[in-house]
Amino acid sequence: MIVAANLKTNLTRQETLEYVETLSNTNIAQGTKVLVFPATSSLNSFNTSLTIGAQNAYPTKNGAFTGEIGLVHLQEFNIKSILLGHSERRHILGETQEKIVEKFNFFKEQGFEIVYCVGERLQEREAGLEATLAYIQKQYEGIDTSYEKLTVAYEPVWAIGTGLVPTLVDIETIHSELKKLSSAPLLYGGSVKLNNVKDIYNVPNVDGVLVGSAALEVKDFSAMVEIANSISK
Ligand code: PGA
């Protein structure tokens, strides 16, 4: 199982240091992989065997892109993983599919592990499975779905930070469709909590979870890692 924490715009540098230190004491079984995506200014030289990734970066080594960070800023901390296509970047920060593809290609070229997020909005969900899949399919446009360091995260926009979760059957249905588009590991994300994570791990074609709000408490996230350790599939 892959267990990933998206810390978003939370936890200061000091808090993140403590978070990673505490989490690093969690037992991680052989089949479990843990990733943490801290806020950009909280990236650091962590003394950990956990995978630390960036939530975002500009597709450049360095240059004149005010407010952005580039490859050199990730290399400084030996970061080789990045989250791309998150719905908050698509829908709040206005990132287009073209820009995301540009980032994808740049970081693929650099050999980064890429966690690529896709997911439909409430309007597609309400319009039914066909509309949902058609919308998600567009988010695969331009993406090298056979990239060996790709992990996909299915995150319905309406489930992110809302406490709403699709039914397990719905997750299974979408995941089995998305596995046809890419055989990359496929995470589920959107209101994953300590009390639903085990059921979600056990859904066919779920290879792990991407957790936002419920990952902010390190003891909860650590407990999710421990539950993942006990899942064998
Ligand atoms: P959530 O966020 O767990 O708070 O719903 C998930 C995500 O955005 O990755």
Side-chain angles (χ1 to χ4, degrees):
M1 286 286 131
I2 299 169
V3 196
N6 177 8
L7 302 179
K8 306 193 181 184
T9 319
N10 299 293
L11 305 193
T12 62
R13 175 168 295 210
Q14 184 56 35
E15 287 165 343
T16 305
L17 262 177
E18 288 161 19
Y19 185 98
V20 171
E21 197 177 286
T22 306
L23 188 62
S24 299
N25 292 326
T26 309
N27 172 46
I28 297 172
Q30 218 179 11
T32 307
K33 177 171 179 173
V34 180
L35 293 101
V36 179
F37 295 94
T40 300
S41 69
S42 299
L43 293 176
N44 221 320
S45 297
F46 299 100
N47 178 20
T48 184
S49 57
L50 306 173
T51 300
I52 306 294
Q55 290 176 21
N56 178 46
Y58 206 71
T60 185
K61 186 166 171 272
N62 61 292
F65 304 98
T66 302
E68 297 289 315
I69 61 162
L71 182 64
V72 294
H73 306 98
L74 301 179
Q75 286 173 332
E76 181 181 12
F77 300 121
N78 205 21
I79 286 166
K80 296 183 182 124
S81 302
I82 189 162
L83 193 62
L84 291 178
H86 191 277
S87 79
E88 285 149 16
R89 296 218 54 90
R90 291 180 190 271
H91 302 298
I92 302 176
L93 284 313
E95 229 169 77
T96 61
Q97 184 66 16
E98 289 68 32
K99 181 52 85 182
I100 296 166
V101 167
E102 197 186 323
K103 290 184 177 188
F104 188 100
N105 289 336
F106 180 85
F107 287 102
K108 176 188 151 195
E109 196 69 16
Q110 301 299 329
F112 270 56
E113 170 180 25
I114 298 175
V115 178
Y116 182 69
C117 305
V118 299
E120 82 287 0
R121 301 167 301 178
L122 188 58
Q123 61 206 83
E124 287 80 35
R125 167 58 56 140
E126 284 174 344
L129 183 61
E130 212 173 299
T132 296
L133 291 173
Y135 185 83
I136 299 173
Q137 256 158 23
K138 284 205 159 39
Q139 298 173 326
Y140 280 79
E141 275 173 15
I143 298 298
D144 177 0
T145 52
S146 58
Y147 178 45
E148 70 275 15
K149 291 186 188 163
L150 169 67
T151 294
V152 178
Y154 167 58
E155 300 203 299
V157 180
W158 53 272
I160 295 178
T162 57
L164 301 172
V165 192
T167 64
L168 298 176
V169 172
D170 283 347
I171 296 175
E172 183 176 350
T173 304
I174 304 273
H175 273 233
S176 69
E177 290 297 328
L178 298 188
K179 278 281 181 174
K180 294 178 193 163
L181 302 178
S182 171
S183 60
L186 182 56
L187 314 182
Y188 169 78
S191 295
V192 175
K193 309 278 179 219
L194 196 46
N195 64 10
N196 62 16
V197 71
K198 190 169 185 190
D199 290 340
I200 294 171
Y201 286 144
N202 280 314
V203 172
N205 287 318
V206 168
D207 301 305
V209 291
L210 177 55
V211 190
S213 26
L216 293 178
E217 284 294 337
V218 70
K219 67 171 184 353
D220 290 351
F221 187 64
S222 167
M224 292 186 194
V225 171
E226 275 163 15
I227 296 169
N229 287 340
S230 69
I231 309 278
S232 56
K233 69 166 188 175

